[in-house]
Amino acid sequence: MADLNDPNVQWWRNAVVYQIYVRSFADSNGDGIGDLPGITARLPHLADLGVDALWITPFYTSPQHDHGYDVADYRDVDPLFGSLSDADALIARAHELDLRVVVDLVPNHTSDEHEWFKAALAAGPGSPERARYMFRDSPDGPPNNWSSVFGGPAWTQVEDGQWYLHLFDSTQPDLDWRNPEVPAMFEDVLRFWLDRGVDGFRVDVAHGLFKEESLRDQVVTDGDAPASSAHEMVERTITDEPMWDQPEVHGVYREWHRILDEAGPDRMAVAEAWTQTIESMTAFIRPDELDQTFNFAWLLADWSAESFAEVITDTLAAVEGVGAAPTWVLSNHDVVRHVTRYGGGEQGLARARAATLTMLALPGSSYLYQGEELGLEQVDVAPEDRQDPSYLRTGEVGRDGCRVPIPWGGAEAPYAFGPGAAQPWIPQPADWASLTVEAQSAAADSTLAFYKDALRIRKDFAWTAGDVVEMVDAGPDVLAFKRGPLTVVLNCGTTPAELPEGEVLLASGPVDGKLLPDTAAWLR
Ligand code: GLC
Ligand code: CA
């Protein structure tokens, strides 16, 4: 039995994991698109920031219709991002710097340019090639009423009249996980990357893979069109989901667990599972399945002490039941950056820093998204620069605004994102000069300095403060809890609050005998 308190074994249990969105992190060759050598060159920044691991979004061969979440070859690197030897070099350099590497695995669908899909189109109806995907005959329109997460119908018709299912873009055909060739392929892919030395996998759309076998219509109660996106289902309180979260998926994760174990006790997988309930979320992290799952409840919580307290209590209770470590996340490449969600500007930033400090004090691991350490806001990307397939399918703004390339230095775009003056694939705002890594490294009161302080101090208690969180009553607008020697307070109200007894280790903003609104503090 592995020692759960040994940071060298189940390192993820208390890790801070930094998400790199490859296209937008650092460009080494001046084509305006981030790449693997760009990441490798910037790894010292991450070591210096104080994170424990990085999760890198897909860099495999892909026509890039969903920026790599449409994989054409799971065992190779897209030339846009480099080569397999660049991946090896990245992993080796990260390990030298004591950073673990988590890569993205996309098992729900392939690209329509994957060999398998090309063969399926060529082979025609009824062929074993088509049986790897979800092709159906349906002369009178789509086989059922399902919507794509990116808008519009989840089915596209091919020339010979058959339809194929795609829960995302039409260039992302869903695989048929009931066909044994499919799990066999992914087992090989896992081994391929484990052999190259990766420490773990982030499993994309982990609640997908299997669909209810009948492919029946989704029951929609509000008279509107069906919905596949988790956000929309929650908003519209649609609970029927024949396309998600089927019991068969857990058999796959039990097999993957064995494969990870074979590679060593320090390999992990984290699930992206937008499930409807905490119980269904914890099913993915039972002891013989995956190790972690993103806890989107924290990201979705309103700015209120009550909501945050509820998420903390429910999460800890749920993961305790299965013995897994909790996770916390405020931003990623699919959602509006949290500074902006909290209202933007000075107040949005103050709240974002406060929520981050609170999160970093909790037991378990925290996932950070590139650029949040700079306090970046969502960018209002001009329509002609938008590239998100969901924008292209629906005309709604989409996710480009959280994917704008990182400003590293200099006074104007591209802010040293790449060499020379080559402009990045999404234009950066003109007012980012004071937000660059270079500028913030020189300013003691910057958001970057704040993140570094928080991560440095966190190292002193992350593995020793225990998993018990004791909520403290501090009035309706203040969240307060104790964890081991640490007391944490977050003022979500509009008036200054009392600071508890103790030495302030760190605060997310100025403290002046009192805890100001939109501020959090760690005390000992
Ligand atoms: C996940 C990814 C998202 C992608 C989708 C389809 O939700 O996070 O970026 O578009 O899966 O693969
Ligand atoms: Ca590049």
Side-chain angles (χ1 to χ4, degrees):
M1 182 68 196
D3 177 0
L4 299 188
N5 290 317
D6 182 347
N8 295 315
V9 183
Q10 298 201 353
W11 56 269
W12 58 87
R13 292 189 79 92
N14 292 297
V16 176
V17 186
Y18 183 96
Q19 180 191 352
I20 293 185
Y21 193 69
V22 182
R23 297 178 79 81
S24 303
F25 188 67
D27 170 22
S28 71
N29 61 351
D31 64 357
I33 296 175
D35 46 50
L36 300 186
I39 298 173
T40 306
R42 294 291 188 183
L43 287 176
H45 165 73
L46 300 183
D48 186 43
L49 179 60
V51 302
D52 304 296
L54 32 138
W55 147 34
I56 312 176
T57 59
F59 47 78
Y60 319 109
T61 315
S62 160
Q64 302 290 317
H65 291 297
D66 189 18
H67 298 334
Y69 285 98
D70 48 327
V71 180
D73 184 350
Y74 291 86
R75 297 181 191 81
D76 205 351
V77 173
D78 196 285
L80 197 58
F81 301 132
S83 63
L84 274 176
S85 46
D86 291 327
D88 293 342
L90 191 167
I91 296 166
R93 179 72 181 124
H95 287 168
E96 264 169 33
L97 292 167
D98 269 335
L99 296 165
R100 306 270 180 168
V101 179
V102 174
V103 296
D104 223 307
L105 187 71
V106 189
N108 181 68
H109 43 265
T110 69
S111 158
D112 61 348
E113 292 187 22
H114 190 281
E115 283 307 319
W116 274 8
F117 195 73
K118 290 198 278 191
L121 288 185
S127 60
E129 286 82 359
R130 285 223 173 160
R132 293 167 177 149
Y133 293 90
M134 307 288 289
F135 278 91
R136 292 295 181 272
D137 290 317
S138 183
D140 308 319
N144 65 26
N145 72 349
W146 299 358
S147 301
S148 149
V149 173
F150 294 160
W155 295 91
T156 289
Q157 197 168 24
V158 299
E159 260 175 31
D160 53 50
Q162 280 207 314
W163 300 79
Y164 67 89
L165 177 70
H166 53 87
L167 290 177
F168 295 88
D169 192 50
S170 56
T171 61
Q172 294 166 298
D174 280 56
L175 288 160
D176 185 349
W177 273 83
R178 291 192 171 81
N179 181 335
E181 286 187 64
V182 173
M185 194 255 274
F186 280 95
E187 288 163 20
D188 281 353
V189 170
L190 282 173
R191 291 199 173 94
F192 178 88
W193 289 103
L194 287 167
D195 288 348
R196 296 198 103 86
V198 305
D199 301 283
F201 298 90
R202 177 262 188 192
V203 182
D204 188 63
V205 197
H207 58 310
L209 282 55
F210 287 85
K211 286 83 198 173
E212 221 177 280
E213 207 159 8
S214 66
L215 297 183
R216 65 170 177 85
D217 278 359
Q218 181 183 44
V219 177
V220 180
T221 39
D222 58 3
D224 258 326
S228 273
S229 100
H231 299 281
E232 199 191 332
M233 299 217 309
V234 169
E235 244 162 58
R236 287 172 51 197
T237 60
I238 296 177
T239 52
D240 184 42
E241 42 178 17
M243 67 290 278
W244 302 123
D245 207 8
Q246 299 300 309
E248 293 93 326
V249 78
H250 296 290
V252 173
Y253 299 138
R254 282 193 280 271
E255 192 50 44
W256 290 10
H257 185 99
R258 282 190 284 274
I259 293 173
L260 289 167
D261 256 6
E262 268 165 37
D266 58 349
R267 312 295 177 100
M268 61 84 80
V270 52
E272 184 216 21
W274 291 90
T275 57
Q276 301 224 3
T277 62
I278 289 207
E279 294 76 58
S280 53
M281 174 187 102
T282 48
F284 289 81
I285 46 173
R286 286 175 288 195
D288 59 346
E289 296 197 29
L290 303 179
D291 301 288
Q292 294 191 320
T293 174
F294 292 119
N295 176 15
F296 295 118
W298 182 249
L299 173 160
L300 296 169
D302 305 329
W303 180 256
S304 89
E306 199 189 337
S307 306
F308 286 130
E310 194 182 303
V311 175
I312 294 173
T313 312
D314 291 354
T315 303
L316 294 177
V319 298
E320 204 194 342
V322 286
T327 67
W328 313 96
V329 59
L330 285 164
S331 278
N332 65 35
H333 67 296
D334 292 328
V335 301
V336 172
R337 283 188 177 277
H338 59 288
V339 175
T340 307
R341 288 205 313 274
Y342 294 143
E346 250 175 62
Q347 186 181 49
L349 181 60
R351 288 183 171 183
R353 289 169 55 144
T356 302
L357 195 65
T358 307
M359 165 175 98
L360 289 172
L362 289 164
S365 47
S366 284
Y367 284 79
L368 308 180
Y369 176 51
Q370 65 179 39
E372 68 170 81
E373 77 279 24
L374 307 176
L376 297 188
E377 289 207 39
Q378 192 79 359
V379 174
D380 194 4
V381 176
E384 63 274 21
D385 295 322
R386 292 181 196 153
Q387 304 197 22
D388 184 347
S390 80
Y391 168 69
L392 303 175
R393 284 178 70 88
T394 62
E396 281 166 35
V397 175
R399 300 166 294 178
D400 300 297
C402 62
R403 300 174 173 182
V404 176
I406 295 297
W408 290 96
E412 57 192 37
Y415 302 108
F417 172 65
Q423 292 301 311
W425 67 282
I426 301 186
Q428 297 156 309
D431 60 357
W432 270 10
S434 62
L435 296 178
T436 65
V437 172
E438 186 183 40
Q440 295 202 40
S441 299
D445 62 349
S446 66
T447 298
L448 180 58
F450 162 70
Y451 267 73
K452 283 187 192 170
D453 285 344
L455 295 181
R456 181 175 42 77
I457 298 172
R458 187 185 197 274
K459 287 202 197 301
D460 296 337
F461 65 78
W463 286 92
T464 54
D467 290 344
V468 178
V469 170
E470 185 198 328
M471 290 294 172
V472 178
D473 184 8
D477 294 328
V478 178
L479 173 76
F481 61 85
K482 287 191 180 192
R483 177 183 169 210
L486 201 68
T487 301
V488 179
V489 271
L490 164 67
N491 186 353
C492 295
T494 52
T495 52
E498 292 303 321
L499 266 175
E501 301 263 295
E503 172 205 353
V504 176
L505 295 175
L506 185 64
S508 63
V511 270
D512 173 20
K514 295 263 188 187
L515 185 68
L516 299 180
D518 303 324
T519 309
W522 290 349
L523 298 97
R524 182 173 48 194

